[in-house]
Amino acid sequence: QVQLVESGGGLVQAGGSLRLSCAASGSIGNINDMGWYRQAPGKQRELVAAITSGGSTNYADSVKGRFTISRDNAKNTIYLQMNTLKPEDTAVYYCNADVRRIYALRRDVYWGQGTQVTVSS
């Protein structure tokens, strides 16, 4: 099996910063794309940022210039540095990963359990 564990969420005032981490573990053969999504109450889950195994990145327009996604392939870990946080960034943040397990022929997408980020005004 494969597990994704997020950490680093919490409560912060508007204008502040947080850094999220997501570590993948288990029977991992290799990982392609990894990403961060978020879901606010009453809203659909949306992509925040994604990163390929080669380091190419993609961001939602709402976070460009404020958030930075990075990756440590040796640790199967991604990070999300969030600066200049706004109340509208409040949501549960989930990471996901496109994984081929050891000895498997196909790829599957795995999700973490989510971490709450709350930004007060």
Side-chain angles (χ1 to χ4, degrees), residues 81-94:
Q81 178 65 44
M82 305 185 293
N83 298 328
T84 320
L85 282 160
K86 304 176 180 179
E88 51 264 43
D89 294 318
T90 295
V92 178
Y93 284 70
Y94 300 89

Side-chain angles (χ1 to χ4, degrees), residues 69-89:
I69 188 171
S70 60
R71 179 169 178 165
D72 185 334
N73 288 329
K75 296 181 179 179
N76 290 330
T77 298
I78 58 171
Y79 307 93
L80 186 68
Q81 178 65 44
M82 305 185 293
N83 298 328
T84 320
L85 282 160
K86 304 176 180 179
E88 51 264 43
D89 294 318

